Amino acid sequence: SRVLFGAAMLSYCLLLFLLFDFAYSSLTRGDEQRHGSRIAHAVYDHGFIAKFEGHEAWGNLRYQVITNSLGFKDASTRDVPLKSSSRRVLVMGDSFAEGVGMRFEDSFVGLLQRAGQERNDKVEFLNAGVVSYSPSIYYKKIKYLLDAGLQFDEVLLFSDSSDVIDE
């Protein structure tokens, strides 16, 4: 009877633990777990879902993530035309370029975008950076975007030492 009682107590405690864990996770991290912004990609491994608006977690920090029609972090879920009448710069990199843990407007690409739009001769900055990108992914994604018809005037590539590990 002691063994049976011990097994019942263990089962009860395990059930309580799982219920509390589920409740805690649902209340504190539910939005980004159910509606994550990241997606696998057949050509360049991974990226963002196009026209996503929601939240993600980075450690204990929750932050807003918005992507445009190209699946790039942006200030709004806008439609980005493949061709632009203004100068266009594609920014590529990993977590630093993506701006992990912050809204697009607060990232360096967001600051460049704002400055570019305040100029008389407008410059558009497109943020194609995503966490854990590497040189082979940079190449594949840029080639994919060019093959899809996206036109841009230059690429700013922000590579760092973690790219070797990610490769």
Side-chain angles (χ1 to χ4, degrees):
S1 72
R2 281 187 183 195
V3 173
L4 187 59
F5 179 76
M9 258 330 235
L10 182 64
S11 298
Y12 175 73
C13 290
L14 182 62
L15 179 66
L16 281 179
F17 171 76
L18 292 174
L19 284 172
F20 284 126
D21 182 57
F22 175 77
Y24 175 77
S25 298
S26 296
L27 293 173
T28 61
R29 306 237 191 255
D31 186 37
E32 60 272 4
Q33 284 181 349
R34 285 190 299 273
H35 308 290
S37 64
R38 297 168 194 279
I39 189 169
H41 195 277
V43 176
Y44 54 82
D45 193 64
H46 64 285
F48 285 109
I49 296 171
K51 290 190 153 186
F52 175 86
E53 188 167 354
H55 290 85
E56 282 199 354
W58 186 54
N60 290 329
L61 179 67
R62 280 192 72 194
Y63 64 100
Q64 183 180 33
V65 175
I66 300 173
T67 63
N68 60 32
S69 61
L70 298 172
F72 299 164
K73 264 183 97 169
D74 206 328
S76 67
T77 57
R78 67 188 176 109
D79 287 318
V80 179
L82 295 177
K83 298 175 184 179
S84 176
S85 58
S86 65
R87 182 166 184 76
R88 185 180 270 176
V89 178
L90 183 74
V91 179
M92 183 66 71
D94 60 3
S95 57
F96 176 71
E98 176 190 320
V100 174
M102 63 182 65
R103 297 176 319 130
F104 173 78
E105 296 87 342
D106 299 327
S107 69
F108 81 91
V109 182
L111 297 173
L112 287 171
Q113 172 67 3
R114 186 175 65 211
Q117 293 303 300
E118 291 173 355
R119 295 172 45 119
N120 289 334
D121 54 337
K122 305 239 183 276
V123 179
E124 181 181 25
F125 289 86
L126 298 174
N127 187 356
V130 179
V131 163
S132 295
Y133 270 12
S134 64
S136 61
I137 295 176
Y138 301 147
Y139 171 78
K140 289 175 186 176
K141 188 167 187 176
I142 292 169
K143 183 175 180 337
Y144 175 84
L145 293 169
L146 288 170
D147 290 346
L150 183 66
Q151 293 183 348
F152 43 89
D153 299 292
E154 64 184 283
V155 175
L156 291 178
L157 177 61
F158 291 89
S159 184
D160 65 28
S161 58
S162 71
D163 288 355
V164 175
I165 296 165
D166 291 337
E167 192 62 40

